[in-house]
Amino acid sequence: MTASIDQRASFEAVRYAQAWEDADVLLGAFHKRPGQRFLSICAAGDNVLALLLLDPREVVAADLSDAQIACLRLRMAAVRVLPHDAFLELFGARPSSRRAALLNEVLVACDPDTRAFWQALEPQVAEFGAGNVGKFENYFRLFRRYVLPLIHTRATVENVFEKRDRAARVRFFEERWNNRRWNLCTSLFFSRTVMGWLGRDPAFFDHVEGSAGAHVRNKVRFAAVDQDPSENPYMRTVLTGRSAAVLPTAWREETYRAIVDRVDRISVVKGPVQRAADGPFDGFNLSDIFEYMSVDETAQIYAELFAQAAPGARFVYWNMMAPRTAPSSLAGSIARLSDLEAELKQIDKAFFYADLIVEEKTP
Ligand SMILES: C[S@@+](CC[C@H](N)C(=O)[O-])C[C@H]1O[C@@H](n2cnc3c(N)ncnc32)[C@H](O)[C@@H]1O
């Protein structure tokens, strides 16, 4: 007997409908040779697609969540069915009045579970795009609708994305952006209480120096002044809801063809990443999963992954606030690539993470 719809994944919510980790950084962290085998957290699926740009033999994508797996499966069908422009419309990077039709066109090429899952979300996809229907994107939508207008006018927000040199960015930031309302609202929005309501464990903040609000303000300053915000798709999406001309790695026109050609190299597995498939793997894209675990659990899961690592394999992951690294039990067998981390952090446009970790199994 087939499972009824409500016994399947259909009512589980999407948390991340697009990647909030910068795949330019991810690709920069791995070896560049073709033919590698990767184990990746699935999340929304964008960075699984991005890994195809390294011309791997296989990318095994794993996730605990059926909803997140449905996000990847929709992308895999979409790249097979849609031209690039239509892909951007469907996922919400471009305005569109035909998203429902595009969705239905793609769903014909999907398995029944994926089809049922996305059919239930058709109204939201039509309104916001399939890359904007997660809880995380909804949280940003609330921020844009109710908090941001208390801080800045629409014109000031749009102005952030004008091309400027560094000196002009410093002036814009200090004179237009960094006002008392910005400080007050970020302190309130990122307080322990509000973040607790939004589902973050208050223990996360134990590791942040100063307040979480101050941490966020520093990160925004880095992305708005030291980097060029006009080139930042994540900041643009958070502040305006759309990434317009600048796009994340897997959504760019120049990467689309290679992704279409290689999409069959992805294997999708539901379940914990450390049990997804037998090694050896040359690279591990672990998102920020360790932050959601205790230090002891991190050590255990890391060791299980390490047992599946080929000599020279790289482990890449982010920490938003809680510090996590390879366990000390592996100290002699794994090296942290601090110079590469430092270089990549300079270009990391997903500005909200406190740390990027790149570790390599000693050959
Ligand atoms: C850790 S979350 C973070 C998302 C992220 N920061 C982003 O930008 O999209 C990414 C995904 O990891 C999945 N996940 C967490 N722990 C996992 C595990 N041990 N095995 C497999 N998937 C896991 C979650 O279901 C979620 O879809």
Side-chain angles (χ1 to χ4, degrees):
M1 203 173 85
T2 51
S4 70
I5 259 191
D6 57 354
Q7 288 172 310
R8 295 198 306 238
S10 305
F11 299 105
E12 190 186 350
V14 174
R15 281 185 173 272
Y16 310 94
Q18 59 180 286
W20 292 96
E21 289 151 9
D22 188 340
D24 289 345
V25 168
L26 185 66
L27 301 188
F30 288 121
H31 297 291
K32 303 296 170 294
R33 55 173 189 270
Q36 298 181 88
R37 191 161 175 251
F38 292 101
L39 179 58
S40 176
I41 289 292
C42 174
D46 291 319
N47 290 358
V48 176
L49 298 186
L51 285 171
L52 295 173
L53 300 170
L54 293 175
D55 198 7
R57 180 158 53 90
E58 186 184 14
V59 182
V60 177
D63 209 292
L64 299 168
S65 154
D66 283 310
Q68 297 302 145
I69 286 179
C71 291
L72 173 58
R73 290 207 187 277
L74 183 72
R75 282 161 170 76
M76 291 169 68
V79 300
R80 289 186 177 113
V81 170
L82 300 179
H84 178 249
D85 296 10
F87 178 95
L88 294 185
E89 284 182 52
L90 174 61
F91 284 90
R94 295 271 184 278
S96 178
S97 54
R98 54 168 189 156
R99 285 197 193 106
L102 293 173
L103 178 67
N104 286 305
E105 199 183 324
V106 173
L107 292 184
V108 172
C110 288
D111 61 278
D113 282 356
T114 306
R115 195 175 308 136
F117 183 88
W118 284 102
Q119 263 160 356
L121 288 174
E122 189 191 291
Q124 289 97 308
V125 172
E127 188 171 357
F128 305 119
N132 287 318
V133 300
K135 286 188 171 177
F136 205 57
E137 292 79 24
N138 190 43
Y139 172 59
F140 286 136
R141 208 157 27 244
L142 294 177
F143 171 77
R144 277 195 300 280
R145 198 167 292 167
Y146 300 109
V147 181
L148 195 54
L150 302 176
I151 309 175
H152 288 303
T153 63
R154 190 184 273 262
T156 302
V157 172
E158 288 295 337
N159 232 299
V160 170
F161 302 103
E162 246 172 50
K163 192 108 191 136
R164 297 180 173 85
D165 62 20
R166 192 178 188 285
R169 294 202 293 270
V170 172
R171 275 201 305 282
F172 179 84
F173 190 82
E174 295 307 342
E175 290 165 18
R176 303 272 308 275
W177 192 266
N178 194 17
N179 62 18
R180 278 174 48 207
R181 279 166 297 166
W182 167 242
N183 283 281
L184 182 66
C185 286
T186 45
S187 292
L188 289 175
F189 200 66
F190 295 101
S191 65
R192 283 170 182 263
T193 317
V194 175
M195 293 293 272
W197 292 337
L198 296 167
R200 280 255 154 175
D201 181 344
F204 262 60
F205 301 105
D206 293 350
H207 308 282
V208 182
E209 267 182 51
S211 68
H215 164 83
V216 170
R217 285 192 294 276
N218 284 338
K219 290 281 164 192
V220 170
R221 191 181 197 286
F222 176 76
V225 171
D226 299 311
Q227 295 183 333
D228 180 352
S230 74
E231 300 284 325
N232 190 325
Y234 308 98
M235 189 183 264
R236 220 184 256 257
T237 305
V238 172
L239 294 181
T240 71
R242 199 154 279 135
S243 53
V246 286
L247 292 163
T249 320
W251 292 14
R252 294 177 194 147
E253 192 176 4
E254 65 271 24
T255 60
Y256 201 67
R257 189 70 252 162
I259 290 173
V260 173
D261 290 345
R262 299 170 185 166
V263 67
D264 293 339
R265 301 183 199 174
I266 298 172
S267 314
V268 188
V269 182
K270 158 88 194 285
V273 65
Q274 68 277 16
R275 312 258 162 77
D278 290 334
F281 291 101
D282 305 291
F284 297 80
N285 165 30
L286 300 172
S287 177
D288 59 345
I289 63 166
F290 295 128
E291 273 199 320
Y292 295 78
M293 305 173 192
S294 67
V295 171
D296 287 349
E297 210 183 338
T298 298
Q300 187 198 321
I301 307 294
Y302 201 115
E304 287 182 43
L305 292 166
F306 185 80
Q308 303 173 61
R314 290 197 177 163
F315 294 78
V316 183
Y317 51 98
W318 281 265
N319 296 321
M320 192 171 291
M321 290 186 182
R324 296 282 182 270
T325 53
S328 49
S329 57
L330 296 174
S333 335
I334 202 143
R336 190 155 170 192
L337 306 186
S338 313
D339 289 349
L340 181 58
E341 285 175 11
E343 198 183 298
L344 293 170
K345 276 190 222 174
Q346 289 305 308
I347 61 156
D348 195 339
K349 295 193 173 76
F351 51 91
F352 13 74
Y353 299 96
D355 217 351
L356 163 75
I357 313 289
V358 185
E359 289 156 334
E360 186 173 283
K361 180 173 177 171
T362 49

